[in-house]
Amino acid sequence: MFSFVARQAIFDEKLNIFGYELLFRDSMTNRFPDVSPEHATAQLIEEQFLGAPTGRQNEGSVVFVNFPYELLIKGLAETLPKDRVIVEILETAEPTPRLLESIKQLHKKGFRIALDDFSLSNNWNAFIPYIDIIKFDVHESTLQEIQSYIFHNKDLLKDTVFLAEKVETIEEFETYKNMGFTLFQGHFFSKPIIFKTKKIIQNQIIALRLIQEVNAETPDLIQIEELLKRDIALSFKILRYAQNILYNARGIRGSRSQSIKDIVVYLGVTELRRFVLVACLTSFNNAKTNEIYYSSLIRARFCELAANRLLGIHSSNDAFMVGLFSLLDVILEIPQEELIDQVVISADVRIALHERKGMLYQLVNLVQLYENREWEEASLEAKKVGLTRGIVAEMMNEATKWADEMPLSKPARNTFDRSQRYR
């Protein structure tokens, strides 16, 4: 499964790239699909900011993300990293008092905000003090209309950056540059370019259960934690989600490790409901969880069980993460070091995944030896970490049973008898 996004570059007056506007696509066809703006934005958030990492090529550049009225009211813009995202108010939004309060909150929290395809209407005057960028469609309004609006509102607009969009000729660029515009977008500079990335597939049944639990009258945080831990996609997404929230609220980036339990408690019910809105409701598909996901669940559970026995309960959370994410680079076809830069993890987890060192790595390596039926090597590795062959076999069977119990988690294939699998 793949996700698709088109990026159109935005340039400054010196023709340096200022950032990109992200445009939702559902295939390599470069046009907006027949979906609602709400669906498009929610899907884009889920795929580009919670799912597969955006990649190093985008670091240092801001991105513009379109938000329709309803998603601004629901606070979904607050789930994105405020240092990288400019919130773009879609032109179809109505300038209501409720929207104004939402924009004030975003402004107060340090988000930059843009007005898309600005209609030159005075109905937006109350919003202007909280707007950083106004995008003028140079084909929707005439040059004289735009000049007149800016002249008659020059005091109100004194701190606002002007962006000319749909610029198609060098003459248009020069004209608006001379008028004081400092940002430019259009086919004259760059057409939207589609990027295709691997998509993290999540378990539909778990997602449905999570939606149900989070929206219960009294959500059970323990049950929510358990559901998140049973799906690699949701585990990864909530870690990225929490990192965005931590940064937006406290300016924290790459802080100490937090277990899924810590994150569930920290986020609270309101934030968990917003997470579910983005991560679950936009991601249902017909693909079954494949062998790699199944193996990831087994690895995670085994590492957790082994850590409980060897290291104590405190390290079991890190052990679970190491097992769960040990195959994520294979799933997404992205180097492991890029993946672990996207989430808050402990030094021990980072060393295990990136440097392949330490006790946590030894546990994952032990699982891998069993997967490959390298029995003698597995026995030697088990002895090194302080486990007997019989105990390892018992824990592997328990981990496999745990993964088997999840609907759709077990791959559709013929497997050898479990009693012979980990002898």
Side-chain angles (χ1 to χ4, degrees):
M1 296 292 292
F2 297 93
S3 63
F4 303 88
V5 65
R7 296 192 312 162
Q8 185 172 32
I10 295 172
F11 294 82
D12 64 17
E13 69 274 22
K14 296 180 181 179
L15 298 183
N16 298 313
I17 292 179
F18 172 78
Y20 300 88
E21 181 172 359
L22 300 186
L23 305 167
F24 176 70
R25 300 290 185 263
D26 62 359
S27 69
M28 291 301 292
T29 302
N30 203 352
R31 64 171 180 267
F32 188 79
D34 185 20
V35 298
S36 70
E38 290 76 16
H39 174 86
T41 296
Q43 191 82 30
L44 190 148
I45 292 172
E46 185 270 329
E47 292 178 352
Q48 301 302 315
F49 295 95
L50 301 182
T54 52
R56 291 179 177 176
Q57 64 183 3
N58 295 337
E59 290 181 3
S61 297
V62 298
V63 292
F64 289 65
V65 178
N66 283 299
F67 276 86
Y69 180 90
E70 285 298 326
L71 298 192
L72 286 168
I73 296 302
K74 291 177 180 177
L76 260 66
E78 297 176 25
T79 67
L80 301 184
K82 64 184 178 183
D83 59 328
R84 289 201 57 235
V85 172
I86 294 178
V87 177
E88 194 167 327
I89 304 174
L90 204 59
E91 66 272 15
T92 55
E94 293 291 330
T96 67
R98 190 177 179 190
L99 180 61
L100 179 58
E101 287 305 309
S102 298
I103 297 305
K104 285 181 178 179
Q105 285 297 313
L106 285 171
H107 177 79
K108 184 177 180 180
K109 292 179 178 181
F111 283 87
R112 287 168 289 178
I113 303 163
L115 272 176
D116 186 28
D117 287 345
F118 186 53
S119 62
L120 312 185
S121 170
N122 289 329
N123 293 336
W124 290 95
N125 283 2
F127 288 75
I128 299 301
Y130 311 101
I131 300 298
D132 299 274
I133 300 169
I134 292 181
K135 300 179 73 173
F136 293 89
D137 185 334
V138 301
H139 290 176
E140 184 68 24
S141 301
T142 66
L143 174 63
Q144 292 73 25
E145 289 171 336
I146 294 173
Q147 283 179 317
S148 176
Y149 175 82
I150 292 174
F151 177 78
H152 288 100
N153 294 278
K154 57 186 177 182
D155 291 335
L156 185 63
L157 299 170
K158 65 181 185 300
D159 298 320
T160 309
V161 172
F162 301 147
L163 185 156
E165 61 178 336
K166 298 185 181 176
V167 176
E168 296 183 356
T169 66
I170 184 65
E171 290 79 17
E172 289 177 338
F173 167 66
E174 292 293 344
T175 296
Y176 285 94
K177 178 181 176 181
N178 292 334
M179 279 178 57
F181 281 64
T182 56
L183 295 177
F184 305 87
Q185 180 181 3
H187 286 188
F188 169 70
F189 306 98
S190 173
K191 294 182 179 181
I193 300 173
I194 297 180
F195 290 83
K196 174 183 176 181
T197 57
K198 275 273 192 176
K199 184 175 181 178
I200 302 180
I201 303 169
Q202 63 195 36
N203 187 305
Q204 296 181 39
I205 302 300
I206 295 178
L208 286 169
R209 289 181 179 176
L210 187 60
I211 292 169
Q212 182 180 23
E213 187 60 51
V214 164
N215 288 286
E217 185 174 347
T218 307
D220 184 340
L221 296 185
I222 296 176
Q223 178 64 17
I224 291 171
E225 176 201 359
E226 182 64 20
L227 289 169
L228 288 167
K229 286 171 67 174
R230 288 189 174 224
D231 186 78
I232 183 174
L234 288 170
S235 295
F236 186 75
K237 288 175 185 177
I238 200 165
L239 285 170
R240 294 199 70 198
Y241 184 92
Q243 181 164 285
N244 289 342
I245 298 300
L246 280 168
Y247 178 77
N248 291 340
R250 304 182 187 177
I252 298 172
R253 179 75 79 196
S255 68
R256 67 176 179 84
S257 169
Q258 291 199 333
S259 68
I260 291 178
K261 179 179 180 180
D262 294 333
I263 287 171
V264 167
V265 173
Y266 170 75
L267 291 178
V269 174
T270 299
E271 207 62 67
L272 284 169
R273 285 172 177 164
R274 283 203 296 196
F275 167 75
V276 164
L277 179 64
V278 175
C280 294
L281 295 180
T282 61
S283 299
F284 292 116
N285 55 66
N286 295 321
K288 290 185 177 180
T289 308
N290 63 18
E291 175 73 28
I292 299 178
Y293 285 90
Y294 180 65
S295 297
S296 297
L297 289 173
I298 294 174
R299 287 187 179 193
R301 182 59 173 162
F302 172 84
C303 291
E304 183 180 46
L305 291 170
N308 274 333
R309 182 179 288 268
L310 295 172
L311 305 174
I313 189 66
H314 177 72
S315 297
S316 64
N317 291 319
D318 282 349
F320 186 92
M321 288 300 171
V322 170
L324 194 64
F325 290 161
S326 63
L327 290 170
L328 199 56
D329 57 333
V330 179
I331 295 170
L332 295 176
E333 299 176 2
I334 293 174
Q336 189 71 257
E337 58 268 24
E338 290 190 25
L339 291 172
I340 62 179
D341 283 343
Q342 303 289 330
V343 294
V344 177
I345 56 176
S346 72
D348 289 340
V349 175
R350 187 175 294 272
I351 289 170
L353 292 174
H354 183 42
E355 300 181 22
R356 298 187 176 185
K357 296 178 181 178
M359 173 66 84
L360 296 180
Y361 171 71
Q362 286 181 281
L363 296 181
V364 172
N365 187 48
L366 177 56
V367 178
Q368 188 172 355
L369 291 171
Y370 266 78
E371 289 172 348
N372 296 333
R373 302 187 188 184
E374 299 177 25
W375 309 122
E376 296 305 319
E377 292 85 349
S379 294
L380 290 174
E381 190 69 15
K383 187 175 181 180
K384 287 180 184 179
V385 300
L387 296 171
T388 68
R389 184 168 176 170
I391 289 174
V392 171
E394 179 184 328
M395 290 191 298
M396 287 295 290
N397 283 325
E398 183 176 341
T400 304
K401 182 180 179 181
W402 182 82
D404 286 348
E405 290 172 351
M406 287 312 305
L408 302 182
S409 69
K410 188 174 181 180
R413 59 186 175 89
N414 293 321
T415 58
F416 50 92
D417 182 77
R418 186 181 294 122
S419 63
Q420 298 299 315
R421 191 184 304 179
Y422 306 120
R423 56 183 180 177

